[in-house]
């Protein structure tokens, strides 16, 4: 069977192409395939070609709207359960929502909506679609396995039919009259040629005995048949006279043997008869013939009983013992499976017992002895060692074969391999319990700890769950050991572990490649691989490391960590356990990923709320003095009346207003830049630029602000530094860095310098202000981040973020060095400086 590996598809339906592009952009982080449709009719055609994990459908479209489209989709049996999310640009009203749900939608969103909400919903339905597809694939595999079992059963039935045909041939050639009668009215189902010659009739098949032989009614023949069928007791007769109408009385020896079905009920009668008329006239000859017939009858009866016993089940391994349970005959199928020598198998009463798992031997012997004592069917389940040394779970059934007098003559038994069936049942049960634990809480550390305890001792003697941290480290978030006092040592092992990303095996390799590692038997060399010191090697020896499985925690194509399972001694991991561990790891990774996404979503909402609060405050800040200046201008104009206003006062007011408008414009430009950066649309206009000239212009522009802040600004630049950059963006970089220096410079000098190093332009901006705490240096270049209180210094926390983004877009780097209380230095390095070339610039 071919496994479907294509990513699920999402159908996007909207009559506006721009909306389709927006939806596709929202879903792009999910890495799902999308199909677009601009109308309800086109969406229905798409559904004819492919099944979709979820349909995102515009509610209002010309022609066939979203509601009608949803209704038509639900009318198709194939897509009746496909999730539909309706989206409307209109205000949410209850009637539209109710109608959407009535037509089959699972959700109704109104624009604008949070992209994270749509991504979360689509992620859920895509996951459900993949799980459904996986279940269907498993069902197909089960059907294939069932077909294989049916084929085996058919082969066994065919073999049984061959045996029955052989038995039929024996009956046909037997020198005795034989007939099989079925049911309480004794309907003929089989007669051999000799029987037909004996009764002198040829059309008795399918007829009840009374209808076939009315001439012998009243001679107690039918009464004997009724007695045998009712009681199950065989009846035999010697030289019984039968009157056949006008014919001469004949004498017969006969046996009425009850035939039983698989559960012991009598379903018919076997009639063996022979005419002994001649023998009555010559008794000696008759006695010799009678002895011969009895011998033949016993042989036929034994063959028939053995055949019926073997038909109780289709066997993998067939074996026989005598009445006392001693192995009486060789079993090639047993020896082929177990590899046990013939002399060992036939050695004594329990030679076969050495192939049974030691833990199952006592129980098996007790059940076998009880079956022998009570003469009942022997049924058991135990692990049988295969010739390669592995143990397989077997279902065992032994049937006693009885003689005419009810004594057990022998036992016939079978072994059926049910290993895969049991493992499938155990896997399904274990994964169901693990899934319930993983879905019980969004606290993934607690749920992983619970799963670890669930794994031990079912799948491991000890286990550990490790997650990668944001800084590239490794954290052991859960551990379990079958001896609780050893759990602390499982945690301690990781503290002495050297994470070598180039290692050829071990935990580091699994985290690097995303591929599982499976060692049925761990070599001694494994103990020292990656160990930081001898203490860790000693810990591994104490914990035990006989067999080992390490599988990655993968979700949405990302490696989140690893799950490690260890058998300390005695047991080995096989491929089935590896597959089960991978399945468990996938579920655990999905749980961790979902919990982190939920946590990140909450943090993002919190950051958004904080930013909106800050942005609102910052945008209002320049508006307040601007409003005051305008009020002053209006008041001055009213006071002046028709006379001319003082030009100096007017210019002062206008300069102040212009400064606040410029500040407001810069805030808005920063917000627009953040929007462009987030959308990946930061454009650059490349041209030849003198970095010294740009810095000098910015310094001149900031002279009034520097004077007001009490900071003396100096520029050191030996000569022009020319390269191919974006002049406007360079101006923005210098502006942001100088603004930052003046804001936090504490009224002390600010120094700027421009130089070249190894073909790179280097810009340094140094202040002697409050400085930055070392713990904040790693985050000051992120959005909405600042190293000081917003209440005292204000700002949106975007300047350094935009600066870093521009520098990286130009191919350069930026870094900050600082000492609290002594100031900060920002260093920008830009590639692309022209050698031996300069633009004309004003003299320094």
């Amino acid at each position: 069977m071919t496994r479907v590996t294509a990513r699920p598809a999402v159908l996007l339906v909207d009559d506006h192409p721009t909306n389709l592009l927006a939806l596709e952009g929202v879903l792009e982080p999910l890495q799902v395939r999308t199909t677009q449709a601009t109308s309800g009719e086109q969406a229905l055609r798409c559904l004819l070609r492919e099944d979709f994990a979820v349909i995102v459908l515009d509610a209002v479209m010309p022609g066939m709207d979203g509601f009608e489209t949803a209704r038509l989709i639900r009318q198709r049996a194939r897509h009746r359960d496909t999730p539909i999310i309706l989206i409307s640009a209109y205000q949410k009203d209850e009637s539209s929502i109710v109608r959407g749900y009535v037509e089959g939608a699972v959700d109704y969103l109104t624009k604008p909506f949070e992209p994270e909400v749509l991504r979360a919903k689509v992620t859920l339905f895509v996951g459900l679609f993949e799980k459904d597809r996986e279940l269907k694939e498993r069902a197909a595999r089960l059907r294939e396995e069932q077909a294989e079992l049916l084929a085996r059963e058919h082969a066994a039935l065919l073999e049984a039919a061959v045996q029955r045909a052989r038995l039929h041939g024996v009956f046909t050639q037997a020198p005795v009259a034989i007939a099989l009668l079925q049911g309480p009215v004794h309907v003929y189902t089989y007669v051999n040629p000799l029987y037909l010659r004996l009764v002198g009739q040829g059309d008795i098949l399918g007829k009840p005995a009374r209808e076939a032989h009315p001439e012998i009614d009243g001679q107690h023949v039918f009464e004997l048949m009724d007695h045998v069928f009712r009681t199950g007791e065989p009846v035999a007769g010697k030289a019984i006279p039968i009157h056949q109408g006008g014919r001469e009385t004949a004498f017969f020896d006969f046996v009425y043997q009850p035939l039983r079905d698989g559960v012991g009920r009598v379903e018919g009668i076997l009639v063996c008869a022979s005419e002994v008329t001649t023998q009555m006239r010559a008794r000696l000859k008759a006695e010799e013939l009678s002895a011969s017939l009895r011998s033949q009858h016993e042989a036929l009866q034994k063959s028939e009983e053995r055949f019926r016993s073997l038909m109780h089940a289709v066997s993998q391994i067939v074996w026989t013992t005598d009445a006392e349970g001693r192995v009486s005959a060789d079993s090639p199928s047993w020896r082929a499976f177990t590899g046990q020598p013939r002399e060992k198998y036939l050695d004594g009463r329990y030679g076969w017992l050495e192939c049974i798992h030691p833990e199952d031997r006592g129980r098996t012997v007790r059940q076998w002895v009880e079956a022998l004592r009570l003469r009942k069917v022997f049924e058991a389940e135990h692990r049988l060692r295969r010739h390669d040394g592995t143990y397989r779970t077997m279902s065992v059934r032994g049937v006693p074969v009885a003689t005419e007098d009810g004594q057990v003559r022998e036992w016939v038994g079978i072994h059926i391999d049910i290993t895969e069936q049991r493992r499938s049942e155990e896997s399904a049960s274990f994964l169901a319990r693990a899934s319930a634990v993983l879905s019980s809480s969004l606290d993934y550390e607690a749920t992983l700890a619970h799963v670890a305890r669930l794994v031990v001792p079912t799948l491991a003697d000890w286990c550990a769950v490790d997650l990668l941290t944001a800084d590239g480290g490794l954290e052991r978030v859960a551990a379990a050991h079958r001896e609780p006092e050893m759990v602390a040592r499982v945690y301690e092992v990781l503290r002495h572990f050297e994470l070598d990303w180039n290692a050829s095996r071990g935990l580091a390799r699994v985290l690097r490649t995303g591929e599982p590692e499976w060692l049925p038997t761990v070599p001694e060399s494994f103990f020292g691989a990656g160990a930081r010191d001898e203490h860790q090697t000693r810990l591994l020896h104490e914990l035990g490391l006989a067999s080992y499985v390490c599988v990655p925690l993968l979700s949405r194509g990302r490696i989140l960590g690893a799950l490690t399972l260890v058998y300390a001694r005695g047991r080995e991991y096989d491929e089935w356990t590896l597959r089960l561990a991978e399945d468990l790891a996938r579920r655990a990774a999905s749980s961790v990923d979902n919990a982190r996404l939920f946590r990140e979503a909450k943090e993002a909402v919190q950051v958004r709320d904080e930013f909106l609060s800050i942005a609102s405050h910052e945008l209002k800040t320049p508006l307040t003095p601007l409003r005051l200046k305008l009020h002053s201008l209006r008041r001055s104009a009213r006071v002046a009346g028709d006379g001319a206003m003082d030009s100096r006062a007017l210019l002062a007011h206008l300069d102040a207003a212009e400064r606040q408008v410029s500040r407001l414009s810069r805030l808005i430009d920063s917000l627009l830049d953040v929007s462009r950066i987030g959308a990946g649309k930061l454009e650059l206009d490349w041209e030849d630029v003198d970095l010294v000239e740009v810095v000098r212009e910015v310094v001149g522009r900031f002279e009034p602000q520097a004077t007001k802040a009490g900071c003396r600004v100096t520029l050191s630049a030996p000569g022009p530094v020319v390269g191919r950059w974006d002049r406007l963006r360079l101006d923005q970089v210098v502006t942001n860095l100088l603004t930052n220096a003046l804001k936090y410079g504490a009224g002390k000098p600010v120094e700027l310098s421009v130089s070249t190093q190894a073909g790179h332009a280097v810009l340094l901006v140094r202040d002697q202000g409050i400085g930055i705490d070392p713990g904040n240096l790693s985050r000051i270049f992120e959005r909405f981040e600042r190293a000081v209180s917003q209440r005292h210094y204000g700002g949106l926390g975007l300047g350094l973020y935009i600066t870093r983004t521009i520098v990286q877009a130009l191919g350069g780097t930026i870094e900050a060095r600082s000492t609290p209380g002594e100031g900060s230095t920002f260093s920008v390095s830009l590639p692309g400086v022209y050698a031996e070339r300069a633009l004309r610039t004003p003299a320094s």
Side-chain angles (χ1 to χ4, degrees), residues 634-699:
R634 187 180 295 109
R635 184 174 57 189
S636 299
R638 288 174 180 172
V639 172
D642 295 333
M645 292 180 62
D646 184 358
S647 61
R648 291 184 179 180
L650 177 61
L651 288 174
H653 288 310
L654 291 176
D655 288 342
E658 184 178 4
R659 284 195 300 272
Q660 300 305 324
V661 170
S662 298
R663 181 180 178 186
L664 185 61
S665 177
R666 287 196 301 272
L667 289 173
I668 294 174
D669 287 340
S670 296
L671 293 174
L672 289 175
D673 280 338
V674 170
S675 177
R676 294 189 189 101
I677 292 169
K681 296 180 179 179
L682 184 66
E683 298 180 355
L684 298 176
D685 185 11
W686 299 90
E687 59 177 315
D688 291 345
V689 182
D690 181 3
L691 178 59
V692 175
E693 181 181 343
V694 172
V695 175
R696 185 177 291 111
E697 290 177 358
V698 174
V699 170

Side-chain angles (χ1 to χ4, degrees), residues 323 349 366-378 400 406 408 411:
R349 186 171 182 176
R366 287 192 298 272
Q367 292 172 326
W368 177 231
V369 170
E370 183 180 8
L372 291 172
R373 181 175 61 84
L374 300 178
R375 301 179 183 179
K376 67 176 185 179
V377 174
F378 167 60
V408 175
W411 291 77

Side-chain angles (χ1 to χ4, degrees), residues 586-623:
R586 281 191 294 269
R587 296 168 190 241
S590 179
S591 176
V592 171
D593 199 21
N594 290 338
R596 285 180 171 178
L597 287 174
F598 179 76
R599 185 180 298 174
E600 291 171 2
K602 289 181 64 177
E603 292 174 353
V605 170
Q606 183 179 355
V607 170
R608 181 202 63 188
D609 292 343
E610 291 177 358
F611 168 70
L612 290 177
S613 175
I614 295 171
S616 175
H617 176 270
E618 288 297 319
L619 290 173
K620 286 181 179 179
T621 299
L623 289 177

Side-chain angles (χ1 to χ4, degrees), residues 220-281:
H220 304 291
V221 174
F222 303 132
E223 288 77 8
L224 286 175
M225 291 182 179
D226 292 339
H227 174 77
V228 172
F229 188 88
R230 185 177 62 257
T231 65
E233 299 174 356
V235 173
K238 294 288 187 178
I240 304 300
I242 300 296
H243 304 285
Q244 299 177 326
R247 295 171 56 186
E248 182 181 359
T249 298
F251 293 87
F252 295 89
D253 287 340
F254 66 88
V255 174
Y256 291 163
Q257 178 70 30
L259 296 177
R260 301 180 185 274
D261 59 14
V263 295
R265 292 192 299 265
V266 177
E267 62 180 9
I269 300 173
L270 169 67
V271 178
C272 295
S274 59
E275 185 175 2
V276 292
T277 304
T278 303
Q279 286 85 336
M280 289 296 293
R281 297 189 179 98

